[in-house]
Amino acid sequence: MSTKILKRSFLALTVLGVALTIYLTYIHYKGLNPICSLGQACIKVQTSQWSELGGIPVALLGLIGYIGILAVQLIPEREETRLALLGMTLIGFLFSGYLTYREIFSIKAICEECATSAVFMTILLIISAVRYVRGDPMPSPPSDPSLAAPAASPNGKRAPVASGS
């Protein structure tokens, strides 16, 4: 898969993650029930003791994480930015894994929106790992010597390049 497609996919998933967590944060603070298609599972998860961490809604923590990932994507790409994205998506993936564990074993309900965010974060982690491992491809040197930059002459001026005809 090309780097361009990976970057666009990564950006699209991050924007979707931001939108989803804005919605979840909004309903949390408004005291609204989330839209659920699997009965009351989302409501059960959103109102559980694990819906907050230290008094901060996990939806807000997710929103902050997605915004951070989005912000790093706007920085010119270098090895350090790819490493930052890998680290941030790994943290998001592990946090989503912890929350999914709580949903399954403590709350005994699966929130569709939370599961969607966990899937987004899993895919973001995979893409960021691929992008980090691939690195920045080095440009290959020109194979035709006439395409190479002309060498500087002793007086500091560029020497003319001989034409091939």
Side-chain angles (χ1 to χ4, degrees):
M1 190 173 287
S2 77
T3 301
K4 192 175 190 179
I5 291 172
L6 289 175
K7 285 181 179 182
R8 286 183 179 172
S9 301
F10 196 89
L11 179 62
L13 283 173
T14 305
V15 169
L16 289 172
V18 168
L20 177 62
T21 52
I22 285 173
Y23 163 73
L24 292 173
T25 301
Y26 175 79
I27 64 168
H28 176 88
Y29 282 114
K30 287 291 189 177
L32 302 172
N33 288 332
I35 300 169
C36 298
S37 64
L38 294 177
Q40 303 297 312
C42 295
I43 295 167
K44 190 174 179 183
V45 171
Q46 291 286 327
T47 58
S48 75
Q49 70 186 53
W50 290 281
S51 67
E52 292 186 352
L53 184 64
I56 301 170
V58 294
L60 179 59
L61 294 173
L63 176 58
I64 293 166
Y66 279 115
I67 288 172
I69 291 168
L70 185 61
V72 172
Q73 288 180 68
L74 301 176
I75 298 171
E77 186 171 332
R78 299 188 340 227
E79 183 175 357
E80 294 83 5
T81 54
R82 287 190 303 275
L83 181 59
L85 288 173
L86 179 60
M88 293 171 81
T89 57
L90 178 60
I91 290 167
F93 172 79
L94 293 173
F95 189 60
S96 292
Y98 165 76
L99 294 174
T100 302
Y101 168 84
R102 285 293 178 202
E103 285 180 297
I104 294 169
F105 297 105
S106 300
I107 305 168
K108 301 196 184 328
I110 299 289
C111 169
E112 296 164 2
E113 288 92 355
C114 302
T116 299
S117 179
V119 168
F120 287 169
M121 199 55 73
T122 301
I123 296 169
L124 289 173
L125 173 62
I126 292 167
I127 292 172
S128 63
V130 167
R131 286 180 62 200
Y132 182 75
V133 168
R134 280 189 182 175
D136 211 5
M138 297 297 291
S140 57
S143 57
D144 183 356
S146 68
L147 297 176
S153 65
N155 64 4
K157 294 183 180 179
R158 296 246 178 227
V161 177
S163 69
S165 40

